[in-house]
Structures are given as structure tokens and as C-alpha cells.
Amino acid sequence: MARKIGKQTYQPENPPVIISTAAVVGPFEGQGPLQPYFDHIYTDMMAGERSFEAAEREMALNACWTCMNKAGKTPQEVDFFLAGDLLNQITTSAFSAVELAIPYLGIYGACSSSGEGLALATMLVDGGYANLVLAATSSHNATAERQYRYPTEYGSHRKPTTQWTVTGAGAALVAPGGTGDGPQITMFTVGKLVDLGIKDVQNVGAAMAPAAADTLVRHFADTGRSPGYYDLIVTGDLGKFGKDLTKKLAVSKGGFDLSDNYEDCGLILYDTEKQDVHAGASGCASSAVVVYGYLYRQLMEGQIRRLLMVPTGALHSPTSFQQGDNIPGIAHAISIEKP
Amino acid sequence: MARDPKKKKLTVDQKRYTELVRDTVPRPRYGKNALLAFFFGGLIALIGQGFIDFYRFTLDMDVKEAASPAVATMIFIAALLTGLGLFDKIARVAGAGVSVPVTGFANSLASAALEFKREGLVFGVGSKMFILAGSVITFGVVTAFVIGLIYAIFIF
């Protein structure tokens, strides 16, 4: 049986293994420093499709197929497909599930969906419900822009705190413990929603930072681990200022010093000096492509052995912020260790 | 009665965090943005004036008549730049300098029309084209009505 540790953390009895991952990105992400780690870089935002939505679907499917191909698996062998994205009614995920024909459970945690997927996959696999679970997320700059902000070609001034939605998709295949020597999911902490009164949609990093800090502090308190236990702690898409705020909050809320081994996927993905992304990356794909593309490789090669992945999400909608509601944030912590 | 979320009071934690955010996050550079907007806005006015003069001399119009084709030309150029994907790049630097004049209005229409083309002619381009410019028209009409009313009262 899996064990509950503390208030929000769970330890699987037989830690499930991430047997393969895949990350595909759009052209702009392909110009960034992580270029060698992606499985496919599209040369066109439309990915040869007739709409941006169809392009996002193509990317999500490509990531899923690549992920299964790498492990030599077919959709028939996969028990569950857990996927989420940013579009209304998570259509990218649902429409991908049509082609994959794997029993599908749609998930939504905004940009934290990758963590939600891994946590649920761990439960399904360790609980004996599944032998193989495919967890995927995707986002697309143009589809997110037009849903959350303005038409793509609309000329507007962006605040320094705005973030750039990542175009891309990531997928991971989770199998029961003992399958191969890949990195294992040894623990996960499911986060609570935290609302500290941020209303500015051009500063979602600040809206999510309290959730990231809350989950991190909870994870360390539950497990008795210190930040130093991990070789690397990465949050999903807090950006430059969200990262600073998380560091400050981790100290003030729990006394944890994150200055040595803490990074944010939204800052690793782009060359923030050369690429005009303001505060950094955002979107479901931010944590997915960085962890499934770059960090998974690092784990496999033994560059890092203990990774704490903390994808962060802002759970607002265009309607909720227009009506003046705050932006609540969420974060889940997934401890991934290479034996 | 349900309270307006916009007026809901912040808790102590929220207030403290709002202050922390204010100290951490840089403010937009209002001074620099305003200067750039002033410069680009002036530049656009200058170009517009150039077209007015051009039409005055080539088509032999007076200033009032030449204004209409000049505005149309500016709208055309803004819409063309939007289609070519250049307008949003200019606006990133120029800000309100290009979005306040008629060029901004043209951009808001053209960009929305481009964006929602995939949803079809009626529900996409037709109804979504004014998604940004709609409020300009609404408030323009309301303002015109109020001004007209004041004018009517004071003239007669």
C-alpha cells in the first residue's frame, strides 16, 4: 500500500518508473539554449495545419507517439491517457485521445497539469489499476494568446512581468516499479490552492509563487527532507519575479533556503538575454518540455540524481478576471529520483 | 447581498503579499514609455499631415476634403502592416503612440479579423472583428449623443 506522509505527501510502495519521455516544441523555443534536447522542433507555428488549435493538437500527438515509440509501446498496451492543456474544454487533449484511442481521463490544472498527470499516473500504477499510463500536456502561444489576451497581431504594450506562453508538448510514460532503470517517482505532494489577492493577469508569476512556496514548504515539512536533499528543484513557469518571490516566501513561511539548487523552467527554456520573453516562459508545456526533454536526459545520464519538479498553475479564466476575481495558484511537487 | 469581488477587502496575508510583490516587481517605465509614445504619435501625425498635403496638391482638394483620403491611407497602411506581422512589433516599442491614433483602431480590427478567420465568415470575422474595437464604437456613440444633447440645449 502507498503511504501517506504528513498532510499532503504520498509515497508509493513500489515507486513507478518513467520509462520514456518526449518533448516537441515550436520554432521560437527551438532557438533557445535547450535546442539539442528536444525530439522535434517545428519550423512553423502552424505545424503544417490549418489553424493554431490544430497545430497544438499535432504537437501533442507527436509528443505522445514519440514517447511510446521510444519505449517500443503501442497505444493498445497503454491503459490510461491522462492529458491536459489550456484551451477551453481541454479540446487539444480530448482530440488527441480520439486518434490515440487509449482510455482517456482529461485533467486540468492549467500550467500545473504535467505534475497533476504524473501524480495521478503514480496513483494508478502503484495502486494496481494500470500497467502503463501516458501523461501528456501541451500549450501553444497563439491559441493561449487569443483565448486569454488579444489577437496575435494586435499591437499592445507588454509589462515587464508578462510571460511568453510556450509552444510545445511533452509526454511521459509511467510503468510499475522494477520496469527498467529509468527515474522513479518516489514521492509526490499534492498542492492546495493559494489565493494571496493578485488580480493582475500580466503578472501570473506573482499569483502562482505563493502556491509554489506553500507546496515546497509542505513537502519539506511532510518528508523531513531539506532543499539540499535534491540536486535540483524546478518550478514550472514562475518567471523571473515569481522565482524571486518563491525564494522569499520559502524563507518567510518555512525557513527554507532555496538559493543553491532552485531554478524555474520558464527561465531555463529561453535565453532571456536574447529572446524577448519579458519575465520568462509560461504555459502547460513550460515544465513539460524542460523536464521531459532536458532534465530527463540529465537524470538518465546521471548528471542529476534527485529532482523535485514543482509545476505551477494559475487557475483563472478570462471571465473570472474580467469580473474582478483574484487569481488563485496551485503547485504540485513530484520527487523524481534515479536509483 | 453578494459583494463585488473588486471591493472585497484583503486579508492580512494578502495585504502583506501585495506589498512584497510591489517591492519585488519592477514598475513599467512610464517616463520612457510616454516619451516613446509621444515621439511615435507625433511621427504618425506628421505622416498623416504629409498625406493631407499630398492629396491637396495632387487632387486639388482643400484641407477638409483631403483629410478623408489621408485617414483612409493611414488605415490602409496600418491594416497592411498588421497583415504582414509588423504592427505588433512596432507597437511593442511605440505603445500608445500607434494605438491611440486611427492606426490603432485599424490594427484592432484587422488583427481580430485575421485571428478569427478560422471560425468562419459569420461567427468568426463578422462577429469577432469588433471584439476590441467594439467598446470604442459604443462609447463613441454614447459620447456623441451626450455632446449632441448639450449642443442642442445650449444652441436653442
Side-chain angles (χ1 to χ4, degrees):
Chain A
M1 274 295 283
R3 201 158 66 93
K4 183 174 179 182
I5 310 169
K7 277 171 90 175
Q8 287 160 243
T9 306
Y10 298 85
Q11 183 177 33
E13 186 186 7
N14 193 7
V17 182
I18 304 175
I19 57 170
S20 77
T21 58
V24 302
V25 294
F28 187 61
E29 289 68 27
Q31 292 163 11
L34 300 188
Q35 188 230 346
Y37 299 96
F38 298 127
D39 295 293
H40 187 88
I41 296 166
Y42 287 88
T43 50
D44 171 21
M45 286 281 277
M46 294 287 267
E49 298 288 333
R50 57 189 284 278
S51 70
F52 290 126
E53 283 73 13
E56 183 177 336
R57 208 174 303 150
E58 150 67 25
M59 291 179 189
L61 274 168
N62 190 352
C64 291
W65 286 117
T66 310
C67 184
M68 287 187 285
N69 281 345
K70 279 185 183 175
K73 302 288 180 193
T74 61
Q76 284 76 23
E77 295 170 79
V78 181
D79 300 302
F80 292 100
F81 175 48
L82 306 176
D85 59 87
L86 287 176
L87 298 191
N88 292 337
Q89 287 80 37
I90 52 170
T91 43
T92 308
S93 304
F95 288 20
S96 306
V98 174
E99 185 178 318
L100 292 171
I102 303 170
Y104 162 69
L105 291 169
I107 57 175
Y108 184 77
C111 316
S112 72
S113 300
S114 57
E116 188 178 344
L118 283 183
L120 289 168
T122 307
M123 291 186 207
L124 287 170
V125 167
D126 190 53
Y129 286 90
N131 259 321
L132 268 183
V133 177
L134 183 65
T137 52
S138 59
S139 59
H140 191 295
N141 184 275
T143 62
E145 279 293 316
R146 80 142 144 181
Q147 182 179 309
Y148 285 96
R149 295 184 195 101
Y150 301 117
T152 8
E153 295 301 334
Y154 179 63
S156 65
H157 216 81
R158 293 157 68 97
K159 282 192 188 175
T161 49
T162 48
Q163 289 170 253
W164 184 264
T165 308
V166 177
T167 305
L173 205 50
V174 181
T179 324
D181 59 349
Q184 299 172 336
I185 301 171
T186 51
M187 274 183 196
F188 61 89
T189 305
V190 178
K192 286 187 292 197
L193 275 150
V194 181
D195 167 16
L196 282 189
I198 299 295
K199 289 182 195 289
D200 185 0
V201 281
Q202 296 204 50
N203 191 8
V204 283
M208 298 187 287
D214 185 71
T215 302
L216 278 168
V217 169
R218 177 49 53 200
H219 179 80
F220 296 136
D222 284 351
T223 58
R225 291 173 177 176
S226 69
Y229 176 85
Y230 294 100
D231 297 325
L232 185 65
I233 298 168
V234 284
T235 46
D237 55 348
L238 297 178
K240 214 183 291 172
F241 310 111
K243 187 185 159 189
D244 287 349
L245 288 164
T246 305
K247 277 186 183 170
K248 287 180 188 172
L249 286 172
V251 172
S252 67
K253 300 275 171 194
F256 294 108
D257 178 19
L258 296 176
S259 49
D260 294 332
N261 53 352
Y262 166 53
E263 260 305 331
D264 184 68
C265 294
L267 293 172
I268 311 177
L269 182 56
Y270 297 112
D271 184 342
T272 41
E273 299 281 306
K274 288 188 194 131
Q275 291 177 298
D276 184 18
V277 293
H278 292 71
S282 71
C284 292
S286 173
S287 58
V289 298
V290 172
V291 174
Y292 299 160
Y294 171 57
L295 295 173
Y296 185 78
R297 191 84 64 90
Q298 298 258 302
L299 280 162
M300 289 304 274
E301 288 169 0
Q303 311 261 21
I304 49 174
R305 304 197 78 83
R306 291 160 171 176
L307 170 73
L308 188 67
M309 170 194 186
V310 190
T312 41
L315 297 182
H316 65 293
S317 78
T319 311
S320 79
F321 90 78
Q322 280 168 0
Q323 294 183 347
D325 284 305
N326 296 342
I327 303 171
I330 194 165
H332 306 298
I334 317 287
S335 159
I336 304 171
E337 298 180 58
K338 180 86 167 60
Chain B
M1 209 183 87
R3 273 208 224 127
D4 183 355
K6 280 180 186 165
K7 287 175 192 149
K8 216 157 80 182
K9 268 195 179 160
L10 294 179
T11 63
V12 179
D13 258 7
Q14 290 178 330
K15 207 177 268 173
R16 227 177 257 164
Y17 184 64
T18 314
E19 279 160 18
L20 179 68
V21 172
R22 206 170 41 218
D23 294 341
T24 311
V25 167
R27 302 255 180 112
R29 282 170 292 184
Y30 293 116
K32 187 188 157 208
N33 290 349
L35 275 177
L36 280 169
F38 182 76
F39 173 75
F40 278 96
L43 189 70
I44 284 169
L46 192 69
I47 296 169
Q49 185 62 47
F51 279 117
I52 290 178
D53 290 344
F54 173 77
Y55 289 121
R56 265 175 66 200
F57 295 120
T58 51
L59 300 177
D60 199 22
M61 292 170 160
D62 63 31
V63 179
K64 261 193 173 169
E65 283 172 333
S68 302
V71 167
T73 314
M74 294 303 283
I75 290 174
F76 172 76
I77 293 171
L80 187 71
L81 288 174
T82 306
L84 294 174
L86 295 172
F87 193 95
D88 57 326
K89 294 196 175 73
I90 299 169
R92 271 197 180 192
V93 183
V98 290
S99 55
V100 172
V102 74
T103 45
F105 191 75
N107 166 247
S108 72
L109 286 180
S111 64
L114 277 172
E115 190 69 50
F116 296 101
K117 190 171 154 253
R118 282 285 156 233
E119 277 85 337
L121 271 178
V122 177
F123 292 106
V125 177
S127 64
K128 296 265 176 71
M129 196 161 163
F130 288 90
I131 197 163
L132 295 164
S135 58
V136 178
I137 292 173
T138 310
F139 292 114
V141 170
V142 172
T143 315
F145 174 75
V146 172
I147 300 288
L149 210 62
I150 295 168
Y151 186 75
I153 291 166
F154 283 95
I155 294 301
F156 301 106

